[in-house]
């Protein structure tokens, strides 16, 4: 048995100290949401939710807090908790869109706009624009450039012929169609205006038509583009020529509107080479492209143009493209590539969220104008190189990647390899290899970590699964990546949806694959994996119930499924309405604070036969609509394996080893644990400040996890920060710090609610990666928006706050605001709140269940 243990990062402790103190309230919505997990104590019905993960954090935070109350209140509150749990009333949810409008970024219908792009009815004479010649900025992560790889692995199929062949010798004419849905990226940050400014700086040939449709934005940051209607402009050297003053008011996420724009361009600006660029938010495999802030009420998949809708728009548009590009986040997915393949020879897109700078347009438009016969791969190289360099000039630690994908090669070599990989992986899952696949999925490179959308690098996933079929697929994919440049490790150029973090998207994914005609074997693969994950969550849920006795098989399953049958009880993660990770069992015991006080159970032990009966009862069982994708026969077939190979909650105990609180598990049990993290709350005399979840871990000589706490926490420029781990892996730990950033922009003061993104490596070196928008809830499509912290910025850190009864009271200022004088420092400092710190550890198993150790006071 491999000596597998959860991976933690290093820690470097500074010489100073800091105190965590709550300030003024910021919002009634959470910024951290309990123990680093998405969700809150919000009790509104599930059908009011707009997306995101169903979380047990509210319950767990409440239960952990109860454990450290004075004893005279504790027993009464525990009794209340037990009663509520039995009736399923502790199902906290995060409602991110219904009810009052508490958006952190209210858009305005401002009339005073800044002139940023010169407008000309006739473009002026062309002037030469020099290329950037600045030296590249050194970054924390080295930039890796990849050209297509030649492999010895046998590939099935050959590349199809390219549909577009340049005439050569500069004889080609090119129409570049840029579909710019400005949305909040423009109204709040002026990103669309900035990119239009880059376009007009290019030296554009009369053989190149750059046509832009604008729309989807409540307030453009220039005095040219209308916020009332969609418009069409032609980009010419030095300025914009308005072609259509009123191109209608259709949503920019309406596929018919995109099709109409394509038809307009091909009719009025015919060319033998056509290019399409979609500019806006991006969500990738499931939610697709775009967010029109004028037409939508929230960041949901209903507000975006899904992949089937993009397919319909491209088909109706009736144009064959040289390449299709996405100046948007997360669109370099295999699913997106398969959608674009019938209509284009190449696709250019990013696996990760793009920084706010987006693509840099000046250089590649100039290069294309200088040689309209230049190959797509050579122009794509300029796009990728300038995107990376411009992003890193703006933000030295920018996490960036961009790929040029050869769709012709992909069509010829990937479908067969994907089918074989899917079939083999399904057989592995249905055999004895679920844990092998789960371990690969848990440690694979994933993207948009804070949004938990389950997009992972497909080549990295194949490398980790390691079967022959996986290696063949990886080789085929590498051959299709014509060019890739990245500062992110293990980002090879193409991602895919693979569920694990949450299960809410499985039903949508299967529907999307069926709609697009994507090989059904991959849908079966993720369905099988998610079904066993769901079965493991039900098994854990059964273990967490505090019933005095269990009925066997179907009766217990009916009890657990009862909550799911009511849509208001169903969580998008697919876990039990009572949660798969409640430490209710340990709360029913007498608790004594302080280290070295003995062993305490974090849950009830349920015998293997009961779990076996429960899961066997899945066979032929009618499931709730939200779980209709679950392969009940597979769950029943694997009942014995799940029952015997699961983490028993009763084993999550605190053992006193020479005065040191320790978690002692066998190697077999540790093999079931994917991550571990420490959660700290501060009792300020009125309630609890949530400092978040971190995964600095220490093991003793027996490889047992030390549950002690050294009294330090991550601080930003000497100020205690609420830190929420978003990903833990072999490279280090990624996380976020919620904050309000105040800065002067064009003479105006802006207050931006942001997540300061952080990376901590194995040696403990910590760095700020930038700041991403902190929306009032999770978005189905991700905004370009990572911005650097700048000198002069005023930073007010934020935290969530809970009453003694565990009720969420709101998000608050954390400590005093401070001004960025130079580069901010990140280090661990000793907390001055000694005696008021409640500390517990969270384990996450291969089924996505979480388990909590009892809380200790330090």
């Amino acid at each position: 048995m491999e000596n597998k243990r959860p991976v933690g990062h290093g820690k470097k402790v500074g010489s100073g100290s800091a105190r965590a103190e709550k300030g003024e309230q910021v919002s009634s919505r959470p910024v951290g949401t309990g123990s680093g997990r998405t969700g809150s104590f919000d009790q509104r019905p599930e059908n009011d939710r707009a997306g995101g993960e169903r979380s047990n954090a509210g319950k767990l935070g409440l239960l952990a807090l109860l454990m450290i109350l004075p004893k005279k209140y504790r027993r009464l509150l525990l009794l209340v908790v037990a009663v509520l749990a039995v009736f399923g009333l502790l199902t906290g949810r995060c409602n991110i869109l219904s009810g009052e409008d508490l958006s952190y970024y209210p858009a305005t219908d401002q009339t005073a706009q800044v002139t940023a792009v010169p407008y000309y009815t006739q473009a002026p004479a062309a002037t030469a624009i020099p290329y950037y010649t600045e030296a590249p900025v050194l970054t924390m992560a080295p930039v890796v450039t990849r050209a297509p790889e030649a492999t010895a692995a046998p590939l099935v199929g050959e590349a199809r012929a390219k549909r577009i062949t340049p005439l050569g010798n500069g004889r080609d004419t090119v129409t570049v169609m840029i579909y710019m849905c400005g949305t909040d990226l423009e109204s709040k940050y002026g990103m669309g205006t900035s990119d239009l400014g880059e376009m007009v700086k290019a030296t554009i040939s009369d053989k190149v038509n750059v046509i832009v449709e604008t729309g989807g934005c409540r307030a453009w940051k220039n005095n040219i583009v209308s916020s009332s209607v969609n418009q069409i402009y032609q980009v010419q050297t030095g300025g914009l020529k308005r072609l259509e003053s009123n191109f209608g008011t259709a949503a920019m996420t309406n596929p018919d509107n995109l099709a109409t724009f394509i038809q307009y361009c091909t009719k009025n600006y015919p060319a033998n080479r056509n290019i399409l660029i979609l500019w806006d938010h991006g969500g990738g495999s499931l939610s697709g492209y775009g967010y029109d802030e004028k037409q939508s009420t929230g960041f949901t998949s209903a507000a975006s143009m899904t992949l089937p809708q993009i397919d319909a728009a491209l088909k109706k548009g009736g144009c064959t493209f040289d390449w299709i590009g996405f100046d948007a986040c997360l669109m370099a997915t295999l699913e997106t590539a398969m959608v674009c393949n019938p209509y284009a020879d190449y696709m250019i897109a990013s696996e990760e969220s793009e920084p706010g700078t987006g693509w840099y347009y000046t250089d590649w438009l100039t290069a294309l104008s200088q040689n309209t016969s230049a190959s797509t791969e050579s122009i794509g190289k300029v796009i990728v190189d300038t995107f990376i360099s411009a992003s890193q000039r703006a933000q030295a630690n920018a996490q960036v990647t961009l790929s040029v994908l050869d769709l012709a090669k992909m069509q010829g070599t990937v479908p067969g390899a994907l089918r074989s990989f899917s079939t083999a992986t399904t057989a592995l899952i249905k055999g004895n290899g679920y844990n092998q696949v789960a371990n690969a999925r848990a440690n694979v490179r994933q993207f948009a970590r804070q949004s938990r959308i389950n997009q992972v690098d497909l080549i990295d996933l194949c490398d980790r699964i390691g079967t022959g079929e996986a290696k063949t697929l990886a080789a085929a994919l590498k051959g299709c990546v014509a060019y890739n440049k990245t500062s992110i490790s293990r980002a090879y150029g193409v991602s895919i949806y693979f569920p694990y973090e949450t299960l809410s998207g499985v039903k949508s994914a299967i529907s999307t694959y069926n709609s697009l005609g994507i090989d059904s074997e991959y849908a079966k693969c993720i369905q099988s994996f998610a079904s066993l994950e769901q079965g493991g969550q039900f098994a854990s849920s059964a273990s967490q119930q505090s019933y005095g006795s269990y009925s066997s098989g179907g009766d217990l399953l009916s009890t657990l499924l009862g909550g799911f049958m009511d849509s208001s009880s169903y969580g998008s993660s697919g876990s039990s309405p009572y949660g798969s990770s409640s430490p209710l069992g340990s709360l029913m015991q007498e608790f004594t604070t302080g280290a070295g006080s003995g062993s305490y159970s974090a849950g009830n032990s349920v015998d293997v036969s009961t779990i076996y009966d429960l899961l066997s009862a899945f066979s032929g069982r009618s499931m709730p609509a939200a779980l209709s994708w679950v392969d009940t026969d597979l769950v029943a077939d694997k009942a014995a394996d799940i029952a015997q190979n699961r983490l028993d909650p009763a084993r999550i105990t605190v053992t006193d080893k020479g005065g040191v609180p320790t978690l002692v598990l066998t190697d077999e049990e540790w093999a079931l644990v994917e991550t571990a993290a420490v959660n700290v709350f501060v009792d300020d005399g009125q309630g609890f400040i949530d400092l978040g979840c971190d995964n600095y871990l220490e093991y003793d000589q027996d490889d047992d996890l030390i549950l002690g706490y050294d009294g330090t926490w991550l601080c930003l420029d000497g100020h205690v920060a609420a830190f929420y781990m978003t990903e833990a892996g072999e490279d280090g730990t990624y996380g976020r710090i919620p904050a309000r950033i105040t800065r002067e922009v064009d003479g105006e003061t802006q207050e931006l609610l942001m997540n300061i993104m952080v990376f901590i490596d194995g040696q403990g070196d910590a760095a700020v990666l930038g700041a991403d928008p902190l929306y009032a809830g999770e978005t189905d499509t991700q905004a370009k928006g990572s911005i650097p912290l700048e000198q002069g910025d005023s930073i007010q850190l934020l935290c969530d706050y809970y009453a003694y009864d565990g009720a969420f009271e709101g998000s608050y200022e954390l400590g005093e605001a401070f001004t960025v004088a130079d580069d901010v420092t990140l280090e661990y400092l000793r907390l001055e709140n000694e005696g008021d710190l409640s500390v517990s550890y969270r384990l996450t198993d291969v089924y996505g269940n979480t388990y909590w150790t009892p809380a200790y006071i330090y």
Side-chain angles (χ1 to χ4, degrees), residues 101 111 126 163 170 175 199 276 289 354 420 434 453 461 526 544 593 641 682 696 698 781 816:
D101 181 11
T111 56
R163 300 189 179 99
T175 294
M199 294 174 199
L276 175 65
Y289 155 83
E354 288 189 355
S420 296
Y434 171 85
I453 63 171
L461 180 66
I526 62 172
Q544 298 293 337
T593 61
D641 289 343
V682 177
Y696 171 70
E698 287 188 295
T781 53
E816 299 292 330

Side-chain angles (χ1 to χ4, degrees), residues 179-185 216 252-254 278-284 287-293 296 298-306 309-310 326-329 331 779-783:
Y179 192 72
M180 181 175 281
C181 181
T183 195
D184 60 318
L185 301 177
M252 294 289 280
T253 51
N254 184 331
L278 302 181
W279 189 106
D280 191 16
H281 291 225
S287 54
Y289 155 83
Y291 169 68
D292 185 320
E293 70 173 352
S296 306
F299 295 90
T300 70
S301 57
S304 65
M305 192 186 305
T306 62
Q309 290 175 319
I310 292 174
F326 291 89
D327 191 356
C329 300
M331 297 302 292
T779 65
D780 276 3
T781 53
Q782 190 82 3

Side-chain angles (χ1 to χ4, degrees), residues 578-618:
Y578 303 112
S580 62
S581 52
S582 167
L584 190 59
S586 63
L587 288 174
M588 296 300 101
Q589 303 181 40
E590 185 66 24
F591 179 75
T592 305
T593 61
S597 58
S599 298
Y600 301 94
S601 170
N604 298 306
S605 181
V606 180
D607 61 85
V608 171
S609 62
T610 300
I611 298 297
Y612 175 79
D613 288 345
L614 164 70
L615 298 180
S616 295
F618 267 81

Side-chain angles (χ1 to χ4, degrees), residues 682-696:
V682 177
D683 183 350
D684 69 351
Q686 297 178 322
F688 293 94
I689 301 170
D690 180 16
L691 291 188
C693 239
D694 192 4
N695 75 321
Y696 171 70

Side-chain angles (χ1 to χ4, degrees), residues 440-446 456-457 460-461 464 490 727:
R441 174 58 185 85
N443 294 286
V444 72
R445 167 60 63 219
Q446 61 178 331
V456 302
D457 188 276
D460 190 35
L461 180 66
R464 290 177 179 277
R490 297 180 287 114
E727 179 182 348

Side-chain angles (χ1 to χ4, degrees), residues 12 31 47 150 218 283 361 369 418 472 560 566 585 592 600 625 638 672 720 725 777 811 820 834:
K12 291 186 176 179
V31 293
N47 54 15
R218 293 174 182 167
Y361 285 84
S369 292
L418 176 65
T472 298
L560 293 173
D566 176 3
T592 305
Y600 301 94
K638 303 300 293 183
L672 298 170
V720 179
M725 176 185 75
S811 54
V820 177
E834 291 184 5

Side-chain angles (χ1 to χ4, degrees), residues 280-341:
D280 191 16
H281 291 225
S285 303
L286 300 189
S287 54
Y289 155 83
Y291 169 68
D292 185 320
E293 70 173 352
K294 292 173 59 179
Q295 304 284 348
S296 306
T297 58
F299 295 90
T300 70
S301 57
S304 65
M305 192 186 305
T306 62
L307 294 186
Q309 290 175 319
I310 292 174
D311 179 62
L314 295 176
K315 183 177 182 179
K316 186 176 180 180
C319 181
T320 299
F321 296 97
D322 201 334
W323 55 273
I324 296 175
F326 291 89
D327 191 356
C329 300
L330 305 166
M331 297 302 292
T333 71
L334 183 61
E335 296 93 335
T336 310
M338 289 180 173
V339 166
C340 293
N341 172 61

Side-chain angles (χ1 to χ4, degrees), residues 352-478:
E352 184 55 282
S353 302
E354 288 189 355
T357 50
W359 291 13
Y360 183 76
Y361 285 84
T362 305
D363 291 8
W364 75 264
L365 285 175
T366 299
L368 180 62
S369 292
Q370 290 175 340
N371 180 10
T372 57
S373 299
S375 70
T376 293
E377 292 187 12
S378 64
I379 294 298
K381 184 177 184 299
V382 177
I383 293 172
V384 172
D385 289 346
T386 55
F387 165 73
I388 298 293
S389 60
S391 299
Q392 293 180 336
R393 276 194 301 272
Q395 188 173 322
N397 290 331
Q399 297 283 283
V400 284
T401 182
L402 197 64
S403 308
V404 180
L405 302 179
D406 188 328
L407 301 181
K409 286 185 178 179
M410 186 171 287
Q411 177 179 321
T413 62
V414 168
L418 176 65
R419 183 177 183 85
S420 296
F421 163 80
S422 302
T423 303
T425 305
T426 301
L428 189 64
I429 293 167
K430 291 184 175 182
N432 296 314
Y434 171 85
N435 285 12
Q436 178 181 340
V437 178
N439 289 334
R441 174 58 185 85
N443 294 286
V444 72
R445 167 60 63 219
Q446 61 178 331
F447 304 102
R449 294 171 290 269
Q450 69 274 21
S451 298
R452 307 167 75 85
I453 63 171
N454 289 297
Q455 278 185 201
V456 302
D457 188 276
L458 181 51
I459 294 174
D460 190 35
L461 180 66
C462 289
D463 288 344
R464 290 177 179 277
I465 291 177
T467 61
E469 293 83 0
K471 293 177 181 178
T472 298
L473 176 58
L477 291 167
K478 289 177 181 178

